[in-house]
Amino acid sequence: MNDLTAIPPGWKHESAAFGVEEVEIRCCDGAVISGHFRDVPNPERGVVIINPATGVKASFYHRFARFLADGGYPVLTYDYRGIGASRTVDPQGCSIRWSDWGTLDFAAALEFAKARLPDVPILIIGHSIGGFLPGMAPNAASVSRMLTVGAQYGWWGAYDVRQRMRLLMKWHLAMPVLTALFGYLPGRRLGWIEDLPAGVAYEWAFKRRCAEKNVGRHLRRDFHARFARFHAPITALTITDDPIGTKEAVMLGLAYYTSSRTRLLEIDPIEMGLGELGHFGLFHSSNRRLWPNMMDALNGEGVPS
């Protein structure tokens, strides 16, 4: 099934964005993370929160965020603690974990959006781990709809079989060894991703098939109950040449959202006459002709409501 092959006429809109405001978001544990808020007039359609992939700065999504704002959606982009503008401490020996980005950072971003625009729907775009983290947030019931792109939680057994060995060597052998040597993953120096705190790197490297087995005991007890509180409809996009966010990996993640109605849409770049999309290409401005389709999916068109 490939519901995105038919590209609609160009998106027509007025340039509605008021501008970009740098914001600070305070988490319930006292940590402060940094972000940008794009406001628009008459934002009845909803406010969008963009959750990044692991080790990817929020600035990577800013062109796409501007597109959404021009289409009438206020947008909040933000960096997880330890990444980009939210890197406020030395990553060496840092105790930040992957799960903190969901239980603390995303939860705080959600509260920020609710406070700014209390009377409009809250919409989530989650890239990679960013589409799995919302299920961990204690306030996830506030979400109205979610669109995910290659969303999964990094279990090696769901990588594309043709690239599985390469990815295993990189993320599950080299990454923990380098993290042990440096006290953090020097991803920027390696040209892989942004530097990662040790806790995040290890949580990814040693991820088991059942995601709940890699979180702390305090989360493990009610892990499934947390996801059950998330009841917004989800549209999950998979890309046929994405070696990490494969259909199997995405479906494993979706299975945790037991209270949501979900729909899986597959994008085949060859059928669409595109070059390689992989895990990141959908957010590149060179592929912006697909963005109206993403906006439609985000807006619930053809999606369970």
Side-chain angles (χ1 to χ4, degrees):
M1 180 183 214
N2 190 335
D3 288 17
L4 299 189
T5 52
I7 304 300
W11 185 265
K12 297 180 180 179
H13 60 79
E14 297 179 359
S15 185
F18 281 155
V20 183
E21 176 189 356
E22 293 185 9
V23 297
E24 291 187 339
I25 304 168
R26 185 168 297 277
C27 304
C28 66
D29 66 342
V32 176
I33 57 177
S34 297
H36 291 84
F37 186 70
R38 288 165 170 78
D39 204 353
V40 302
N42 306 315
E44 299 92 352
R45 305 174 72 184
V47 54
V48 177
I49 302 172
I50 299 180
N51 284 349
T54 299
V56 178
K57 293 194 291 188
S59 57
F60 174 71
Y61 306 93
H62 281 181
R63 286 190 178 89
F64 180 65
R66 178 57 192 259
F67 171 80
L68 291 174
D70 283 348
Y73 296 90
V75 185
L76 173 65
T77 55
Y78 70 102
D79 284 309
Y80 305 126
R81 62 184 66 196
I83 304 295
S86 298
R87 179 173 168 168
T88 57
V89 297
D90 189 330
Q92 282 193 322
C94 184
S95 61
I96 296 169
R97 296 192 62 169
W98 223 352
S99 49
D100 293 332
W101 292 350
T103 59
L104 299 171
D105 297 357
F106 171 70
L110 193 51
E111 289 302 313
F112 178 93
K114 287 166 58 180
R116 276 297 184 98
L117 295 166
D119 300 320
V120 302
I122 296 179
L123 316 176
I124 308 301
I125 295 179
H127 182 205
S128 195
I129 192 63
F132 190 70
L133 298 177
M136 300 184 193
N139 53 351
S142 302
V143 176
S144 296
R145 292 190 299 277
M146 182 162 71
L147 172 70
T148 68
V149 178
Q152 36 67 52
Y153 51 84
W155 180 55
W156 66 269
Y159 293 156
D160 187 321
V161 66
R162 294 164 295 184
Q163 299 193 45
R164 187 173 297 162
M165 186 56 64
R166 177 183 67 83
L167 295 170
L168 266 170
M169 296 292 289
K170 181 176 181 177
W171 299 119
H172 302 272
L173 179 61
M175 179 165 65
V177 170
L178 290 167
T179 301
L181 287 172
F182 290 92
Y184 71 103
L185 177 70
R188 189 184 303 173
R189 191 184 315 176
L190 295 165
W192 292 359
I193 50 177
E194 289 296 300
D195 296 342
L196 289 184
V200 173
Y202 287 137
E203 197 168 350
W204 181 2
F206 301 123
K207 180 70 69 178
R208 288 177 280 180
R209 189 180 192 279
C210 297
E212 64 272 22
K213 292 184 178 179
N214 256 57
V215 299
R217 291 182 180 178
H218 67 293
L219 288 178
R220 200 175 304 170
R221 286 191 297 269
D222 69 340
F223 195 81
H224 291 275
R226 283 175 178 261
F227 275 84
R229 289 195 289 267
F230 187 104
H231 53 74
I234 301 171
T235 299
L237 303 184
T238 65
I239 301 166
T240 56
D241 65 356
D242 182 348
I244 298 175
T246 62
K247 184 183 294 187
E248 179 185 358
V250 171
M251 291 179 68
L252 282 173
L254 283 177
Y256 283 86
Y257 289 99
T258 55
S259 299
S260 295
R261 283 170 285 184
T262 63
R263 186 178 186 186
L264 189 70
L265 302 179
E266 186 174 76
I267 299 174
D268 187 333
I270 295 178
E271 287 186 11
M272 302 180 75
L274 300 170
E276 181 181 349
L277 287 178
H279 197 54
F280 298 96
L282 202 57
F283 293 100
H284 291 169
S285 55
S286 59
N287 296 310
R288 64 182 300 119
R289 75 182 185 95
L290 300 179
W291 292 356
N293 299 83
M294 295 173 68
M295 185 178 280
D296 288 345
L298 177 65
N299 200 38
E301 296 183 18
V303 180
S305 59

